[in-house]
Amino acid sequence: MDSTVNTWREGRAGRIRLNRPKALNALDFEMVTRIKAAVEEFGADPQVHLLLIDAPERGFCAGGDVRGIRAAGLAGDVKTIEEFFSTEYAMNQALADCRKPVVSLINGVCMGGGIGLSVHGSHRIATEKAMFAMPETAIGLFPDVGMSFFLPRMPGALGLYVGLTGARLTGADAVHGGFATHFVPEEKLGALEAALLADGVAVIPAFTAPLPAFSLAAHRPVIDKAFGATSVPEILAILAADGAGFAQSALALLREHSPLSIYWSFEIIRQGANRDLAQALAAELALVRQITRHPEFHEGVRAVLIDKDRAPKWSPPSLEQVDPAAIAQLFA
Ligand code: QUE
Protein backbone atom coordinates (compact mmCIF):
# COMPACT_ATOMS: atom_id res chain seq x y z
CA MET A 1 0.00 0.00 0.00
CA ASP A 2 2.56 2.59 -0.94
CA SER A 3 1.90 3.62 -4.47
CA THR A 4 1.00 7.05 -5.89
CA VAL A 5 -2.60 5.78 -5.94
CA ASN A 6 -3.90 3.17 -3.52
CA THR A 7 -7.07 1.24 -4.32
CA TRP A 8 -8.89 -1.26 -2.12
CA ARG A 9 -12.35 -2.47 -1.12
CA GLU A 10 -13.70 -1.46 2.26
CA GLY A 11 -17.25 -1.83 3.52
CA ARG A 12 -19.62 -0.96 0.69
CA ALA A 13 -17.00 1.12 -1.08
CA GLY A 14 -14.32 0.74 -3.69
CA ARG A 15 -11.67 3.18 -2.49
CA ILE A 16 -9.28 5.29 -4.56
CA ARG A 17 -6.80 7.30 -2.53
CA LEU A 18 -4.28 9.69 -4.08
CA ASN A 19 -0.85 9.40 -2.51
CA ARG A 20 1.62 11.75 -4.15
CA PRO A 21 1.58 14.51 -1.52
CA LYS A 22 4.93 16.10 -2.50
CA ALA A 23 3.41 17.05 -5.87
CA LEU A 24 0.03 17.97 -4.36
CA ASN A 25 -1.24 14.74 -5.96
CA ALA A 26 -0.66 16.06 -9.48
CA LEU A 27 -1.72 13.22 -11.79
CA ASP A 28 0.97 11.42 -13.79
CA PHE A 29 0.56 8.60 -16.33
CA GLU A 30 0.75 5.83 -13.74
CA MET A 31 -1.90 7.51 -11.60
CA VAL A 32 -4.46 8.11 -14.36
CA THR A 33 -3.88 4.55 -15.62
CA ARG A 34 -4.52 3.06 -12.17
CA ILE A 35 -7.54 5.27 -11.45
CA LYS A 36 -9.16 4.42 -14.79
CA ALA A 37 -8.63 0.69 -14.18
CA ALA A 38 -9.99 0.97 -10.62
CA VAL A 39 -13.10 2.85 -11.75
CA GLU A 40 -13.80 0.11 -14.32
CA GLU A 41 -13.12 -2.74 -11.86
CA PHE A 42 -15.18 -1.26 -9.03
CA GLY A 43 -17.93 -0.41 -11.49
CA ALA A 44 -18.19 -4.09 -12.45
CA ASP A 45 -17.74 -5.53 -8.94
CA PRO A 46 -21.12 -6.55 -7.43
CA GLN A 47 -19.72 -6.13 -3.90
CA VAL A 48 -18.96 -2.45 -4.50
CA HIS A 49 -21.90 -0.06 -4.02
CA LEU A 50 -20.07 3.26 -4.27
CA LEU A 51 -16.65 4.58 -5.24
CA LEU A 52 -14.87 6.84 -2.75
CA ILE A 53 -12.02 9.09 -3.94
CA ASP A 54 -9.92 11.02 -1.43
CA ALA A 55 -6.46 12.31 -0.59
CA PRO A 56 -5.48 12.13 3.05
CA GLU A 57 -2.64 14.64 3.13
CA ARG A 58 -2.12 18.15 1.73
CA GLY A 59 -4.73 19.08 -0.80
CA PHE A 60 -6.90 16.96 -3.06
CA CYS A 61 -5.24 17.25 -6.48
CA ALA A 62 -3.31 20.15 -8.07
CA GLY A 63 -3.93 19.02 -11.65
CA GLY A 64 -1.95 17.09 -14.20
CA ASP A 65 1.79 16.47 -14.04
CA VAL A 66 2.44 19.36 -16.40
CA ARG A 67 6.16 19.46 -15.60
CA GLY A 68 6.49 15.95 -17.03
CA ILE A 69 4.30 16.85 -20.02
CA ARG A 70 6.42 19.91 -20.76
CA ALA A 71 9.60 17.81 -20.69
CA ALA A 72 8.03 15.34 -23.12
CA GLY A 73 6.86 18.22 -25.34
CA LEU A 74 10.33 19.77 -25.45
CA ALA A 75 11.85 16.38 -26.27
CA GLY A 76 9.36 15.89 -29.11
CA ASP A 77 8.08 12.78 -27.30
CA VAL A 78 4.62 12.78 -28.89
CA LYS A 79 3.88 9.23 -27.73
CA THR A 80 4.20 10.03 -24.00
CA ILE A 81 1.94 13.07 -24.37
CA GLU A 82 -0.63 11.13 -26.38
CA GLU A 83 -0.69 8.27 -23.86
CA PHE A 84 -1.03 10.58 -20.87
CA PHE A 85 -3.90 12.72 -22.15
CA SER A 86 -5.81 9.94 -23.90
CA THR A 87 -5.70 7.92 -20.67
CA GLU A 88 -6.57 10.89 -18.44
CA TYR A 89 -9.56 11.83 -20.61
CA ALA A 90 -10.66 8.16 -20.79
CA MET A 91 -10.53 8.19 -16.97
CA ASN A 92 -12.77 11.31 -16.97
CA GLN A 93 -15.21 9.51 -19.27
CA ALA A 94 -15.10 6.32 -17.15
CA LEU A 95 -16.07 8.38 -14.09
CA ALA A 96 -18.99 9.93 -15.98
CA ASP A 97 -20.08 6.51 -17.28
CA CYS A 98 -19.88 4.74 -13.90
CA ARG A 99 -23.37 3.59 -12.95
CA LYS A 100 -22.56 3.66 -9.22
CA PRO A 101 -22.25 6.74 -7.03
CA VAL A 102 -18.75 8.24 -7.22
CA VAL A 103 -17.97 10.35 -4.15
CA SER A 104 -14.97 12.68 -3.87
CA LEU A 105 -13.90 14.14 -0.53
CA ILE A 106 -12.25 17.50 -1.28
CA ASN A 107 -10.51 19.11 1.68
CA GLY A 108 -7.87 21.28 0.01
CA VAL A 109 -6.56 22.35 -3.39
CA CYS A 110 -8.61 21.00 -6.29
CA MET A 111 -7.44 22.43 -9.61
CA GLY A 112 -7.51 21.44 -13.26
CA GLY A 113 -7.13 17.67 -13.46
CA GLY A 114 -8.36 17.46 -9.85
CA ILE A 115 -11.66 18.94 -10.95
CA GLY A 116 -11.70 16.45 -13.82
CA LEU A 117 -11.20 13.65 -11.29
CA SER A 118 -14.15 14.73 -9.16
CA VAL A 119 -16.69 16.66 -11.22
CA HIS A 120 -17.71 13.78 -13.53
CA GLY A 121 -18.70 11.72 -10.49
CA SER A 122 -22.08 12.04 -8.80
CA HIS A 123 -21.10 13.45 -5.38
CA ARG A 124 -18.39 16.07 -4.72
CA ILE A 125 -18.04 16.89 -1.02
CA ALA A 126 -16.25 20.20 -0.33
CA THR A 127 -15.12 21.46 3.06
CA GLU A 128 -14.28 24.98 4.23
CA LYS A 129 -10.62 24.15 3.43
CA ALA A 130 -11.36 23.30 -0.21
CA MET A 131 -10.14 25.59 -3.00
CA PHE A 132 -11.28 25.08 -6.59
CA ALA A 133 -9.80 26.63 -9.72
CA MET A 134 -9.24 26.03 -13.42
CA PRO A 135 -5.89 27.90 -13.67
CA GLU A 136 -4.76 26.68 -17.10
CA THR A 137 -4.66 30.08 -18.81
CA ALA A 138 -1.88 30.96 -16.31
CA ILE A 139 0.37 28.31 -17.88
CA GLY A 140 -0.59 28.61 -21.56
CA LEU A 141 -2.87 25.57 -21.53
CA PHE A 142 -6.70 25.53 -21.59
CA PRO A 143 -9.45 24.05 -19.38
CA ASP A 144 -9.45 20.38 -20.42
CA VAL A 145 -10.46 17.14 -18.59
CA GLY A 146 -13.99 17.60 -19.90
CA MET A 147 -14.27 21.18 -18.66
CA SER A 148 -15.06 22.43 -22.16
CA PHE A 149 -18.28 20.42 -21.60
CA PHE A 150 -18.84 21.36 -17.94
CA LEU A 151 -18.00 25.09 -17.87
CA PRO A 152 -20.62 26.22 -20.42
CA ARG A 153 -23.24 24.41 -18.30
CA MET A 154 -22.50 26.32 -15.10
CA PRO A 155 -24.96 29.05 -14.01
CA GLY A 156 -24.97 32.06 -16.35
CA ALA A 157 -21.48 32.82 -17.63
CA LEU A 158 -19.74 31.68 -14.45
CA GLY A 159 -17.93 28.89 -16.30
CA LEU A 160 -16.33 31.25 -18.80
CA TYR A 161 -15.38 33.53 -15.91
CA VAL A 162 -13.60 30.81 -13.90
CA GLY A 163 -12.17 29.14 -17.00
CA LEU A 164 -10.63 32.28 -18.50
CA THR A 165 -9.51 34.13 -15.34
CA GLY A 166 -8.49 31.09 -13.25
CA ALA A 167 -10.36 32.71 -10.34
CA ARG A 168 -10.30 30.62 -7.15
CA LEU A 169 -13.52 29.45 -5.53
CA THR A 170 -13.98 28.46 -1.90
CA GLY A 171 -15.68 25.17 -1.06
CA ALA A 172 -19.00 26.94 -0.46
CA ASP A 173 -18.74 28.94 -3.70
CA ALA A 174 -17.89 25.72 -5.54
CA VAL A 175 -21.23 24.28 -4.39
CA HIS A 176 -23.05 27.39 -5.65
CA GLY A 177 -21.21 27.14 -8.98
CA GLY A 178 -21.64 23.38 -9.36
CA PHE A 179 -18.07 22.06 -9.02
CA ALA A 180 -19.16 20.57 -5.68
CA THR A 181 -22.51 19.13 -4.63
CA HIS A 182 -22.34 19.17 -0.80
CA PHE A 183 -20.73 21.36 1.86
CA VAL A 184 -19.44 19.38 4.85
CA PRO A 185 -17.21 20.81 7.60
CA GLU A 186 -13.75 19.24 7.81
CA GLU A 187 -14.41 18.12 11.39
CA LYS A 188 -17.19 15.82 10.13
CA LEU A 189 -15.22 14.19 7.30
CA GLY A 190 -14.02 11.24 9.39
CA ALA A 191 -17.54 10.40 10.54
CA LEU A 192 -18.89 10.87 7.01
CA GLU A 193 -16.26 8.49 5.65
CA ALA A 194 -17.21 5.79 8.19
CA ALA A 195 -20.91 6.26 7.46
CA LEU A 196 -20.34 6.06 3.68
CA LEU A 197 -18.45 2.78 4.08
CA ALA A 198 -21.25 1.37 6.25
CA ASP A 199 -24.39 2.73 4.61
CA GLY A 200 -23.61 4.43 1.27
CA VAL A 201 -24.46 7.86 -0.12
CA ALA A 202 -27.87 8.21 1.58
CA VAL A 203 -26.00 9.37 4.72
CA ILE A 204 -24.45 12.46 3.10
CA PRO A 205 -27.20 15.05 3.85
CA ALA A 206 -26.90 14.29 7.59
CA PHE A 207 -23.30 15.61 7.54
CA THR A 208 -23.78 18.82 5.59
CA ALA A 209 -23.57 22.28 7.16
CA PRO A 210 -25.71 25.27 6.16
CA LEU A 211 -24.25 26.62 2.93
CA PRO A 212 -22.65 30.06 3.32
CA ALA A 213 -23.93 32.68 0.86
CA PHE A 214 -22.40 32.78 -2.64
CA SER A 215 -19.62 35.38 -2.45
CA LEU A 216 -20.01 36.06 -6.20
CA ALA A 217 -23.78 36.65 -6.00
CA ALA A 218 -23.43 40.44 -6.15
CA HIS A 219 -21.12 40.13 -9.16
CA ARG A 220 -23.28 37.79 -11.22
CA PRO A 221 -24.75 40.60 -13.38
CA VAL A 222 -21.33 41.82 -14.57
CA ILE A 223 -19.97 38.25 -14.87
CA ASP A 224 -22.94 37.23 -17.01
CA LYS A 225 -22.82 40.39 -19.11
CA ALA A 226 -19.06 40.34 -19.74
CA PHE A 227 -18.36 36.61 -20.00
CA GLY A 228 -21.63 36.03 -21.85
CA ALA A 229 -20.27 38.17 -24.71
CA THR A 230 -19.52 36.56 -28.05
CA SER A 231 -15.83 37.47 -28.36
CA VAL A 232 -12.75 38.12 -26.23
CA PRO A 233 -12.50 41.81 -27.24
CA GLU A 234 -16.14 42.29 -26.17
CA ILE A 235 -15.43 40.71 -22.77
CA LEU A 236 -12.51 43.11 -22.30
CA ALA A 237 -14.58 46.14 -23.38
CA ILE A 238 -17.45 45.32 -21.00
CA LEU A 239 -15.10 44.78 -18.05
CA ALA A 240 -13.14 47.96 -18.87
CA ALA A 241 -16.36 50.00 -19.01
CA ASP A 242 -17.36 48.78 -15.53
CA GLY A 243 -15.62 50.92 -12.94
CA ALA A 244 -16.16 48.53 -10.02
CA GLY A 245 -13.26 46.74 -8.34
CA PHE A 246 -14.56 43.29 -9.21
CA ALA A 247 -14.55 43.94 -12.98
CA GLN A 248 -11.11 45.54 -12.74
CA SER A 249 -9.63 42.52 -10.93
CA ALA A 250 -11.18 40.14 -13.46
CA LEU A 251 -9.62 42.26 -16.20
CA ALA A 252 -6.26 42.21 -14.39
CA LEU A 253 -6.34 38.39 -14.28
CA LEU A 254 -7.08 38.21 -18.00
CA ARG A 255 -4.23 40.64 -18.72
CA GLU A 256 -1.80 38.65 -16.57
CA HIS A 257 -2.45 35.27 -18.18
CA SER A 258 -1.40 34.01 -21.62
CA PRO A 259 -3.19 36.07 -24.31
CA LEU A 260 -3.12 33.14 -26.75
CA SER A 261 -4.40 30.84 -24.04
CA ILE A 262 -7.35 33.15 -23.26
CA TYR A 263 -8.30 33.03 -26.93
CA TRP A 264 -8.03 29.28 -27.46
CA SER A 265 -9.76 28.61 -24.12
CA PHE A 266 -12.64 30.93 -25.05
CA GLU A 267 -13.03 29.10 -28.33
CA ILE A 268 -13.06 25.55 -26.96
CA ILE A 269 -15.44 26.45 -24.10
CA ARG A 270 -17.75 28.18 -26.58
CA GLN A 271 -17.71 25.09 -28.82
CA GLY A 272 -18.28 22.81 -25.82
CA ALA A 273 -21.78 24.19 -25.24
CA ASN A 274 -22.93 22.17 -28.24
CA ARG A 275 -21.01 18.95 -27.51
CA ASP A 276 -21.61 15.95 -25.28
CA LEU A 277 -18.82 14.92 -22.91
CA ALA A 278 -17.28 12.38 -25.31
CA GLN A 279 -17.21 14.93 -28.14
CA ALA A 280 -15.75 17.58 -25.82
CA LEU A 281 -12.97 15.23 -24.66
CA ALA A 282 -12.17 14.30 -28.27
CA ALA A 283 -11.90 17.99 -29.22
CA GLU A 284 -9.74 18.65 -26.15
CA LEU A 285 -7.42 15.78 -27.12
CA ALA A 286 -6.98 17.25 -30.61
CA LEU A 287 -6.20 20.68 -29.14
CA VAL A 288 -3.91 19.45 -26.35
CA ARG A 289 -1.73 17.64 -28.93
CA GLN A 290 -0.98 21.01 -30.49
CA ILE A 291 -0.76 23.08 -27.30
CA THR A 292 1.73 20.77 -25.57
CA ARG A 293 4.09 21.42 -28.49
CA HIS A 294 3.46 25.19 -28.39
CA PRO A 295 6.16 27.51 -26.93
CA GLU A 296 3.43 29.35 -24.96
CA PHE A 297 2.74 26.25 -22.84
CA HIS A 298 6.45 25.56 -22.30
CA GLU A 299 6.97 29.17 -21.18
CA GLY A 300 3.93 29.13 -18.88
CA VAL A 301 4.97 25.95 -17.06
CA ARG A 302 8.52 27.31 -16.81
CA ALA A 303 7.39 30.57 -15.21
CA VAL A 304 4.78 29.11 -12.82
CA LEU A 305 6.09 25.67 -11.88
CA ILE A 306 9.79 25.37 -12.77
CA ASP A 307 11.58 28.70 -12.26
CA LYS A 308 8.58 30.03 -10.30
CA ASP A 309 9.49 33.60 -11.28
CA ARG A 310 5.83 34.22 -12.21
CA ALA A 311 7.16 36.42 -15.03
CA PRO A 312 6.20 34.56 -18.21
CA LYS A 313 7.17 36.15 -21.52
CA TRP A 314 3.97 35.60 -23.47
CA SER A 315 4.06 35.84 -27.24
CA PRO A 316 2.28 37.92 -28.33
CA PRO A 317 2.45 39.88 -25.05
CA SER A 318 -1.03 41.39 -25.15
CA LEU A 319 -4.59 40.33 -25.94
CA GLU A 320 -4.81 43.09 -28.56
CA GLN A 321 -1.97 41.50 -30.55
CA VAL A 322 -3.50 38.03 -30.87
CA ASP A 323 -4.15 37.11 -34.49
CA PRO A 324 -7.59 35.47 -34.71
CA ALA A 325 -6.39 33.56 -37.78
CA ALA A 326 -3.69 31.85 -35.67
CA ILE A 327 -6.40 30.68 -33.24
CA ALA A 328 -8.66 29.48 -36.05
CA GLN A 329 -5.76 27.47 -37.44
CA LEU A 330 -5.43 25.50 -34.17
CA PHE A 331 -9.05 24.41 -34.52
CA ALA A 332 -8.89 23.61 -38.23
C1 QUE B 1 -2.06 25.76 -13.84
C2 QUE B 1 -2.08 24.40 -13.86
C3 QUE B 1 -1.41 23.65 -12.88
C4 QUE B 1 -0.74 24.35 -11.86
C5 QUE B 1 -0.75 25.73 -11.83
C6 QUE B 1 -1.40 26.44 -12.81
C7 QUE B 1 -1.35 22.21 -12.89
C8 QUE B 1 -0.60 21.58 -11.85
C9 QUE B 1 0.03 22.34 -10.85
C10 QUE B 1 0.85 21.84 -9.79
C11 QUE B 1 0.94 22.53 -8.58
C12 QUE B 1 1.73 22.07 -7.55
C13 QUE B 1 2.47 20.93 -7.70
C14 QUE B 1 2.40 20.24 -8.92
C15 QUE B 1 1.60 20.70 -9.95
O1 QUE B 1 -0.08 23.69 -10.88
O2 QUE B 1 -1.95 21.55 -13.77
O3 QUE B 1 3.14 19.13 -9.08
O4 QUE B 1 3.26 20.45 -6.70
O5 QUE B 1 -0.51 20.24 -11.84
O6 QUE B 1 -1.39 27.79 -12.79
O7 QUE B 1 -2.73 23.74 -14.85
Side-chain angles (χ1 to χ4, degrees):
M1 289 264 300
D2 203 25
S3 161
T4 49
V5 179
N6 292 317
T7 64
W8 72 101
R9 256 184 7 206
E10 187 175 356
R12 296 171 68 85
R15 306 204 54 166
I16 299 173
R17 178 166 280 177
L18 307 180
N19 182 37
R20 197 184 171 216
K22 285 194 192 105
L24 263 172
N25 294 319
L27 301 169
D28 61 17
F29 178 64
E30 188 196 333
M31 293 168 80
V32 294
T33 302
R34 292 177 75 110
I35 296 167
K36 175 178 173 283
V39 171
E40 288 165 353
E41 278 165 33
F42 290 145
D45 183 339
Q47 296 198 55
V48 168
H49 296 267
L50 73 151
L51 281 66
L52 182 54
I53 305 175
D54 69 356
E57 278 191 62
R58 320 163 42 211
F60 179 72
C61 173
D65 179 21
V66 285
R67 285 186 193 85
I69 296 301
R70 176 183 186 265
L74 285 170
D77 184 354
V78 176
K79 186 162 162 277
T80 291
I81 290 174
E82 183 74 22
E83 281 179 346
F84 173 75
F85 285 104
S86 59
T87 308
E88 183 183 33
Y89 298 173
M91 173 197 82
N92 300 138
Q93 185 74 56
L95 287 161
D97 290 346
C98 186
R99 291 190 307 278
K100 296 172 186 176
V102 179
V103 185
S104 292
L105 303 181
I106 303 160
N107 189 32
V109 170
C110 180
M111 302 195 302
I115 296 188
L117 176 60
S118 51
V119 85
H120 303 298
S122 55
H123 297 71
R124 293 88 69 185
I125 313 293
T127 72
E128 72 282 9
K129 295 236 177 88
M131 188 281 276
F132 290 77
M134 289 302 294
E136 286 83 358
T137 59
I139 59 167
L141 193 57
F142 65 92
D144 65 339
V145 295
M147 296 309 285
S148 71
F149 169 81
F150 190 88
L151 294 173
R153 288 163 179 78
M154 285 171 75
L158 213 51
L160 252 311
Y161 166 69
V162 298
L164 296 187
T165 63
R168 298 172 165 202
L169 299 188
T170 63
D173 283 352
V175 176
H176 287 286
F179 286 147
T181 56
H182 297 80
F183 185 66
V184 170
E186 181 187 34
E187 61 179 17
K188 290 193 181 165
L189 272 189
L192 170 60
E193 179 185 343
L196 283 167
L197 297 179
D199 297 319
V201 292
V203 305
I204 295 173
F207 293 87
T208 58
L211 185 63
F214 190 25
S215 76
L216 294 174
H219 307 305
R220 278 292 306 280
V222 66
I223 289 173
D224 291 352
K225 185 168 171 224
F227 291 89
T230 54
S231 72
V232 173
E234 273 180 78
I235 295 175
L236 301 174
I238 294 167
L239 291 174
D242 184 307
F246 177 82
Q248 295 313 306
S249 24
L251 193 53
L253 284 171
L254 295 176
R255 295 245 175 250
E256 183 182 316
H257 294 167
S258 158
L260 277 181
S261 197
I262 302 275
Y263 267 84
W264 62 52
S265 298
F266 178 84
E267 183 59 21
I268 196 146
I269 298 168
R270 191 187 66 73
Q271 294 181 1
N274 299 310
R275 289 182 168 132
D276 65 21
L277 178 62
Q279 292 169 330
L281 288 167
E284 291 171 11
L285 189 59
L287 186 59
V288 87
R289 278 185 194 118
Q290 308 212 47
I291 303 304
T292 49
R293 273 181 265 173
H294 201 290
E296 195 80 342
F297 169 70
H298 302 155
E299 173 61 7
V301 176
R302 180 206 64 74
V304 174
L305 290 168
I306 296 174
D307 298 338
K308 299 185 182 167
D309 55 23
R310 287 233 154 230
K313 292 184 185 64
W314 302 129
S315 178
S318 80
L319 285 157
E320 284 69 22
Q321 290 161 281
V322 172
D323 176 7
I327 302 300
Q329 201 194 333
L330 284 170
F331 288 88

